[in-house]
Amino acid sequence: MLKTTISEVSQHVGQDVKIGVWLANKRSSGKIQFLQLRDGTGFIQGVLVKNEVSEAAWEAASSLTQESSLYVIGEVRKDERAPSGYELTLKDIEIIQIAENYPITPKEHGVEFLMDHRHLWLRSRKQHAILRIRNEVIRATYNFFHEKGFVKIDPPILTGSSAEGTTDLFHTTYFDRDAYLSQSGQLYMEAAAMAFGKVFSFGPTFRAEKSKTRRHLIEFWMIEPEMAFVEHEENLEIQEQYVSYLVQSVLENCQAELKTLERDTSKLEKVTAPFPRITYDEAIALLKDKGFTDIEWGDDFGAPHETAIAESFDKPVFITHYPTKIKAFYMKPDPKREEVVLCADLIAPEGYGEIIGGSQRIDDYDLMVERYKEHHLTAPAYEWYLELRKYGSVPHSGFGLGLERTVAWICGIDHVRETIPFPRLLNRLYP
Ligand code: 4AD
Ligand code: MG
């Protein structure tokens, strides 16, 4: 018997196949049983007609509970009405295990209950679709950067210093010393860019932020490209090409998943490079026009501000040239105007907020030393980072894209917690 998967049935129309599956749901009309089957690659309906199969097969099907595991044997049929386009006419079934009372039933459950059962919730249609799209974004990321000649470099997770300010550092011990979980691999990626030219990383990062919003995770995954001999404007061009590539790849390869999520894909189709750019100054003026009368030059933007700015555009928008004093120590001041830096945040449409933070980096040794003092950062933790400005320093730029926020936006779902297999939140370390 030909063993296959649900994703491959289109190649076996008219043939008998065997597939290992779980029972997602079941309906019966007395003489016919309709089994909703899933195998990880997809979902398909199996139809069992009482007087066309053995009594044993009929009884076995009748005994199946939700999430029972089994092999089904049946003929693949094309069916225009089926969501997947195919159906199985079942001939026999072999039970592997009858599942006990499965806690997640087709009725509505509260989100905390579902999060407590995340290890099982992953099996449901919607969660399956979201994580498949996450997988496509990861695949497209590797494709994009490899095609453009970037080398993947893996920065350490255990570090002796902070990369993005000290307030949300995750402290741990390293034998008899203090250590921190990485907030960003950037500083190491700068070293790598000086060795390989164009590099990118993809890994977990940690922020001990006491934020309980729909955009914040304690552990999230970041893609961090870093490029030697690349300045501010070119940095933005790479970002807009990358983000449009991600969106277009999902549109091309995840139509079924987007349909399951009921995503309005016309909004995603508009996401093509170039993206609009506005300066921080223009953003302040725009916000004042929109009724944020309290906001003043020098204030950072919160979620409501980002949402209001994004509403004026149907593509992601870059906000550039933020005030130096509200941004990280390593950002290069604009030579034409020292109180702002050569940076940009990329704000996603539809209220999803900042998905990228990036900048040109300070390449001057003396200025970097000065910034260290202002930010109360001390050697020897940063000694090596300073040395990059001593031995053939060059203009360089990079950025970090938050994977979960990007996936939440592309999927059109409310909260980042469903975009990562096992979310770490302020109040959640289980499962
Ligand atoms: O803006 P951030 O803090 O930038 C950096 O860490 C830079 N060192 C990146 C670089 O230039 N190499 O973070 C980058 C992105 C944000 O735009 C956001 O998408 C995501 O990381 N992010 C979070 N995602 C989920 N939960 C959190 N707590 C996040 N904090 C940042
Ligand atoms: Mg940021």
Side-chain angles (χ1 to χ4, degrees):
M1 178 62 54
L2 181 78
K3 205 169 154 205
T4 187
T5 58
I6 293 173
S7 60
E8 301 282 299
V9 290
S10 61
Q11 294 166 32
H12 302 292
V13 176
Q15 289 171 12
D16 283 356
V17 296
K18 177 173 180 170
I19 309 178
V21 295
W22 292 267
L23 183 79
N25 204 352
K26 186 170 84 168
R27 227 156 30 83
S28 171
S29 73
K31 290 190 175 69
I32 307 182
Q33 299 189 59
F34 300 95
L35 311 184
Q36 308 307 322
L37 307 169
R38 56 169 200 90
D39 74 343
T41 73
F43 291 79
I44 195 166
Q45 174 164 272
V47 183
L48 198 76
V49 182
K50 189 170 184 177
N51 54 24
E52 286 173 9
V53 296
S54 71
E55 200 162 316
W58 181 260
E59 289 307 318
S62 308
S63 74
L64 291 172
T65 54
Q66 190 187 349
E67 287 306 312
S68 289
S69 47
L70 61 150
Y71 287 110
V72 290
I73 289 119
E75 183 188 323
V76 179
R77 277 195 308 104
K78 215 168 159 53
D79 187 329
E80 299 298 330
R81 293 157 308 168
S84 69
Y86 300 91
E87 237 183 33
L88 285 175
T89 302
L90 297 181
K91 299 190 170 167
D92 201 3
I93 67 174
E94 296 168 14
I95 291 174
I96 302 171
Q97 188 196 39
I98 296 291
E100 290 179 29
N101 275 342
Y102 188 68
I104 303 176
T105 58
K107 70 161 197 198
E108 285 277 316
H109 294 284
V111 75
E112 285 307 314
F113 176 88
L114 291 168
M115 275 292 164
D116 283 340
H117 294 84
R118 184 65 175 165
H119 49 298
L120 304 175
W121 192 23
L122 295 178
R123 304 176 185 196
S124 72
R125 239 175 235 269
K126 185 178 161 202
Q127 300 307 312
H128 188 263
I130 295 168
L131 293 180
R132 283 258 169 194
I133 288 175
R134 178 187 170 105
N135 178 60
E136 175 61 19
V137 170
I138 295 169
R139 193 200 63 76
T141 291
Y142 279 89
N143 239 27
F144 180 83
F145 288 111
H146 282 149
E147 271 174 18
K148 291 208 171 311
F150 285 63
V151 178
K152 174 147 189 285
I153 293 288
D154 305 312
I157 289 171
L158 286 166
T159 63
S161 58
S162 87
E164 285 294 314
T166 48
T167 50
D168 56 10
L169 270 181
F170 226 113
H171 180 260
T172 182
T173 55
Y174 194 77
F175 306 107
D176 57 349
R177 273 177 288 172
D178 287 320
Y180 309 95
L181 300 184
S182 176
Q183 292 168 303
S184 157
Q186 181 196 319
L187 308 190
Y188 296 96
M189 297 311 286
E190 288 185 52
M194 299 307 138
F196 296 90
K198 293 192 285 186
V199 293
F200 76 106
S201 69
F202 171 53
T205 44
F206 306 85
R207 306 263 170 113
E209 276 178 286
K210 296 258 157 66
S211 315
K212 215 176 158 182
T213 79
R214 57 195 189 88
R215 296 176 181 179
H216 285 90
L217 291 161
I218 305 298
E219 178 180 304
F220 66 97
W221 287 63
M222 190 157 41
I223 290 107
E224 293 189 274
E226 193 71 33
M227 298 153 287
F229 309 105
V230 164
E231 306 206 32
H232 175 67
E233 182 55 34
E234 204 184 333
N235 192 21
L236 304 195
E237 287 164 13
I238 299 273
Q239 292 172 47
E240 63 197 359
Q241 287 168 24
Y242 170 45
V243 170
S244 12
Y245 185 82
L246 293 181
V247 172
Q248 299 309 319
S249 298
V250 170
L251 281 170
E252 212 165 286
N253 299 318
C254 298
Q255 275 302 324
E257 286 80 5
L258 292 167
K259 203 165 163 208
T260 298
L261 297 170
E262 295 170 9
R263 181 65 166 114
D264 178 354
T265 50
S266 68
K267 295 215 164 92
L268 296 178
E269 274 153 21
K270 294 189 182 128
V271 182
T272 51
F275 297 163
R277 293 142 168 72
I278 60 170
T279 62
Y280 173 89
D281 293 6
E282 289 165 339
I284 291 279
L286 180 68
L287 286 170
K288 283 195 188 287
D289 273 357
K290 290 192 166 232
F292 291 86
T293 46
D294 290 349
I295 192 125
E296 283 183 41
W297 199 93
D299 291 346
D300 208 352
F301 299 143
H305 304 118
E306 288 175 356
T307 302
I309 294 166
E311 272 169 7
S312 305
F313 304 93
D314 57 9
K315 290 184 186 190
V317 54
F318 288 112
I319 307 177
T320 68
H321 302 84
Y322 280 73
T324 310
K325 63 175 188 186
I326 57 169
K327 284 293 185 186
F329 72 90
Y330 51 72
M331 293 189 181
K332 185 181 172 81
D334 184 345
K336 291 193 287 264
R337 196 180 157 206
E338 298 276 323
E339 74 269 24
V340 299
V341 279
L342 296 174
C343 74
D345 282 357
L346 183 66
I347 312 299
E350 303 174 70
Y352 284 91
E354 178 199 325
I355 54 170
I356 290 184
S359 67
Q360 184 165 344
R361 323 305 191 183
I362 293 175
D363 50 51
D364 181 72
Y365 184 88
D366 293 331
L367 180 58
M368 190 60 103
V369 171
E370 208 175 290
R371 281 285 185 279
Y372 267 51
K373 292 194 185 129
E374 282 167 27
H375 286 258
H376 309 289
L377 304 167
T378 47
Y382 290 96
E383 201 63 48
W384 65 265
Y385 184 66
L386 276 177
E387 283 187 8
L388 302 176
R389 276 76 188 165
K390 234 155 92 179
Y391 305 112
S393 192
V394 298
H396 63 289
S397 306
F399 62 94
L401 173 131
L403 177 63
E404 289 77 14
R405 287 192 195 169
T406 304
V407 172
W409 160 52
I410 295 177
C411 290
I413 56 170
D414 276 352
H415 202 297
V416 290
R417 67 189 160 210
E418 290 177 42
T419 63
I420 185 164
F422 294 97
R424 297 296 171 239
L425 301 161
L426 202 51
N427 57 354
R428 181 166 297 281
L429 195 55
Y430 177 93

